[in-house]
Amino acid sequence: MLDLTLMLLVFGLSFAIGYVLISRVPPLLHTPLMSMTNAISAVTILGAFLLFAGDVDGTTRVLGGLALATAAFNLLGGYAITNRMVRMFRSPGAGTKSRV
Amino acid sequence: MNDAMNVLVDLAVIAMLVVGISRFRTPRGARFGNHAAGLALAAAILLVLVRNGVTDPITVALWTAAGGLVGVWMALRVDMTRIPGMVALQHGMGGVAAFLISALELVHGGSELGAVGKASGYLGLAIGAATFSGSLLAAAKLDNRIRQAPTRLGGHNSLLATLAIAIVCLSVASSTFDGPALAIGVGLLVVLSASFGVLFAMRIGGADMPVLISFLNATAGLAAAFCGVIIQNRLLIACGATVASSGSILTHVMCKAMNRSLANIFLGATGAARPATGSGSPSAVPAASPAAEGPTSSAAPGTPLASVKAADDRPLADRLHDVARVALGARRVIVVPGYGMALAQAQFAVVQLTRRLEEMGKEVRFAIHPVAGRMPGHMNVLLAEAEVDYEKLCEMDDVNRDFPDTDLVLVVGACDVVNPAAIHTPGTPLSGMPILMAHTARHVAVCNLDARPGYSGVENPLYRQSQTTLLFGDALETVQGLRQAVDAAAAKPAAGAGVPAVAT
């Protein structure tokens, strides 16, 4: 029962801290925020690694592998796309004379 | 490593994540924030690999590299107009990972999982699979692979309820199963949950997509958190919960910006099926719906309103010339972009035009409605890519009071977000929705595809105001034409208004 309490506590605290922090993110950055949180939720990859920590049967090799691949897709893809987006935002005054 | 050490390390990783997220205030901070979050995740992964190891490193490396490479490759080449579809796809992949891990843990863990673990397993499985299928459907809609129109079945809500009950019953039954029966039950649950996701997402379309995509963000996080409970990993629970709260906030912001409740959007609580035209959408074939007849029946979507047509039936070139002259005399200009701008890929042309106006000493800003586009912040990334300084991207509440003192408002592919019926006409699907007050400006030029109402199906009175000039057609061509007209008009400042002055 202690485990459940602890896990609920972790969930509740994280939700609350996340709520406070993310309420302050300006709409300007909502798209990069969403892609970054996608990368964060891809820590499910930890669960996928654990599937490969013990004996690995054929099913796990395939389905667990798919879980690894999809989580890695999100983790690296989410990081890369967020990085690409936030770098596009130009600070005032800079870059007004370049292309287009 | 002992337990206290583990807790400390987990806390360090979480602290790093918190720092990363807290830097998402300014674009510059966000760059650092993203790196910090990435570093935290890398540390967490390393930690698990060191603590637990893997028995088959080559298989693990191959799968991880395959997924990661595809993810990065897609992230680097996706067009910014297609970002919403890409993000929806990522939600879906998060769902896949969550339901696969839950399913495998359930089947392998058997009775060792305990009640809490099992319950979390079935929750992670159901939510993950529904997020997966719902997100893929959303991604297909957002990429215009399938029609964005909502699809409704007879008794849609009862079907959803039946499926939900079936999922709960099968979960309870499966938790008592063992061996092959358990595997079959779990497999069947995946199918049922995925069907639920499809049913859920299929009737949400067009301008409601920002809500759906934010909601799926939250469910993907929730599924990850449940995965964390099964494998008893604090970090995963914490990360999942953070993402769930982020998605919830965005969902709430989107709902508020449309003045609608979540139930109204997802369950069609009022029964008001909305015609499915995105503002300026070329593929707009409004779904006929008896429920929408009330306040919008006069708007007969698809046929330009007689009053709109009669207002100004001179050639487009003349109207472009008129707007160009207004622009030349203007001091302050505000651009209102919408999804139509993304569809027409007109953002670079728009920025070219605004640069020209700025060179002439005019103050130009962009007014961004929270639900403009197909996901939260969509317009901001599009315009950032077109190299607009982010200080010129103004939020609705900041810019609204400036419209009366604005000489020219350029609406590009937006309709509902500038529809004054939201304020002046009670009883329409838009009534009460906060809008950009473009109609209070001295002059408005509308560069939309046609006079069809936006997604809400509510006719836009802005089109009939005397200070509005309608420049219907492909927004890219219209905006390019407008820039040529501005150049031409600037070249001969003394020329009379009657001279056709569009550059050839």
Side-chain angles (χ1 to χ4, degrees):
Chain A
M1 228 50 224
L2 188 71
D3 272 356
L4 178 63
T5 326
L6 184 73
M7 286 191 281
L8 280 175
L9 197 71
V10 170
F11 185 92
L13 265 179
S14 309
F15 195 94
I17 294 174
Y19 204 92
V20 170
L21 285 178
I22 289 156
S23 310
R24 295 191 197 145
V25 176
L28 181 71
L29 294 172
H30 275 170
T31 301
L33 171 74
M34 200 183 267
S35 59
M36 186 195 65
T37 54
N38 251 330
I40 293 179
S41 73
V43 269
T44 40
I45 202 168
L46 300 185
F49 283 135
L50 290 178
L51 291 172
F52 285 88
D55 292 333
V56 184
D57 58 21
T59 326
T60 306
R61 192 158 286 152
V62 177
L63 295 183
L66 271 177
L68 270 178
T70 48
F73 175 92
N74 258 11
L75 194 71
L76 294 174
Y79 173 79
I81 207 165
T82 309
N83 195 41
R84 201 180 135 202
M85 279 192 281
V86 294
R87 289 177 69 85
M88 285 184 332
F89 286 96
R90 307 238 139 198
S91 51
T96 34
K97 287 182 193 71
S98 48
R99 70 185 168 105
V100 176
Chain B
M1 274 191 272
N2 59 28
D3 247 15
M5 187 70 188
N6 281 343
V7 173
L8 273 180
V9 173
D10 280 359
L11 279 177
V13 170
I14 289 170
M16 207 153 32
L17 271 177
V18 165
V19 169
I21 296 173
S22 67
R23 292 300 302 273
F24 264 66
R25 297 276 192 284
T26 62
R28 188 168 287 278
R31 289 189 205 178
F32 171 85
N34 189 44
H35 293 319
L39 202 65
L41 297 179
I45 288 168
L46 247 143
L47 212 67
V48 163
L49 288 180
V50 169
R51 274 183 201 165
N52 304 81
V54 284
T55 45
D56 190 355
I58 293 173
T59 310
V60 169
L62 281 178
W63 280 110
T64 310
L69 282 177
V70 174
V72 172
W73 180 70
M74 286 183 76
L76 293 183
R77 65 180 278 284
V78 67
D79 195 83
M80 281 302 135
T81 48
R82 286 175 176 272
I83 276 285
M86 178 69 195
V87 170
L89 182 67
Q90 288 179 340
H91 293 335
M93 292 302 115
V96 173
F99 88 70
L100 282 176
I101 293 165
S102 305
L104 288 170
E105 289 287 346
L106 280 172
V107 173
H108 288 164
S111 51
E112 294 163 33
L113 282 174
V116 176
K118 275 187 181 172
S120 310
Y122 286 109
L123 280 166
L125 177 83
I127 297 173
T131 303
F132 152 67
S133 61
S135 298
L136 285 198
L137 190 66
K141 281 190 179 192
L142 288 164
D143 278 346
N144 284 315
R145 286 180 210 281
I146 56 174
R147 273 186 6 144
Q148 290 202 355
T151 314
R152 284 160 180 277
L153 307 177
H156 209 118
N157 282 345
S158 7
L159 259 173
L160 276 175
T162 314
L163 257 181
I165 293 168
I167 291 168
V168 172
C169 293
L170 188 58
S171 302
V172 172
S174 298
S175 62
T176 62
F177 293 166
D178 218 348
L182 176 61
I184 291 169
V186 165
L188 205 57
L189 266 174
V190 170
V191 174
L192 285 181
S193 307
S195 319
F196 185 90
V198 170
L199 267 180
F200 185 83
M202 69 193 283
R203 65 170 169 187
I204 296 162
D208 286 338
M209 294 307 279
V211 182
L212 179 65
I213 197 172
S214 307
F215 186 76
L216 290 168
N217 188 202
T219 56
L222 202 59
F226 282 121
C227 270
V229 177
I230 326 170
I231 61 170
Q232 309 234 335
N233 184 304
R234 286 178 296 257
L235 256 179
L236 189 40
I237 300 174
C239 290
T242 311
V243 177
S245 78
S246 173
S248 311
I249 291 172
L250 292 178
T251 308
H252 176 69
V253 171
M254 294 297 109
C255 285
K256 219 174 65 183
M258 294 201 283
N259 190 38
R260 293 170 70 199
S261 70
L262 204 58
N264 180 289
I265 293 162
F266 286 160
L267 305 176
T270 60
R274 298 169 145 210
T277 59
S279 37
S281 162
S283 62
V285 185
S289 133
E293 296 268 311
T296 64
S297 55
S298 62
T303 47
L305 306 163
S307 51
V308 168
K309 214 164 186 179
D312 194 349
D313 54 3
R314 293 175 303 139
L316 181 66
D318 289 1
R319 278 175 281 145
L320 282 173
H321 179 67
D322 287 354
V323 175
R325 296 223 66 91
V326 172
L328 278 186
R331 198 172 43 84
R332 183 182 253 179
V333 179
I334 294 181
V335 180
V336 177
Y339 180 59
M341 182 184 80
L343 268 184
Q345 301 273 1
Q347 65 272 26
F348 289 100
V350 169
V351 173
Q352 244 177 346
L353 172 64
T354 58
R355 290 260 162 81
R356 188 79 186 88
L357 294 175
E358 281 174 333
E359 282 163 17
M360 296 173 174
K362 299 162 195 330
E363 183 204 284
V364 184
R365 285 179 300 163
F366 293 81
I368 315 282
H369 193 279
V371 290
R374 286 296 180 262
M375 74 176 290
H378 188 189
M379 290 296 125
N380 293 303
V381 287
L382 274 188
L383 291 166
E385 190 192 26
E387 306 194 346
V388 177
D389 289 350
Y390 61 79
E391 287 212 336
K392 291 178 192 149
L393 305 174
C394 306
E395 289 173 35
M396 178 166 65
D397 295 338
D398 297 335
V399 79
N400 255 348
R401 59 177 174 275
D402 295 339
F403 277 109
D405 191 28
T406 298
D407 306 297
L408 175 63
V409 170
L410 214 56
V411 176
V412 186
C415 185
D416 287 340
V417 297
V418 289
N419 190 338
I423 306 173
H424 301 311
T425 319
T428 75
L430 281 184
S431 303
M433 174 174 132
I435 58 160
L436 291 163
M437 310 290 271
H439 60 284
T440 61
R442 296 197 186 97
H443 199 101
V444 182
V446 180
C447 309
N448 285 356
L449 188 65
D450 51 33
R452 274 196 301 241
Y455 181 69
S456 69
V458 181
E459 185 192 330
N460 196 339
L462 176 70
Y463 292 173
R464 279 176 292 146
Q465 291 188 354
S466 56
Q467 83 273 32
T468 305
T469 307
L470 300 170
L471 305 171
F472 290 145
D474 180 80
L476 180 60
E477 287 166 22
T478 312
V479 172
Q480 282 170 342
L482 186 56
R483 192 177 62 93
Q484 287 165 356
V486 167
D487 282 342
K492 38 181 167 179
V499 184
V502 176
T504 46

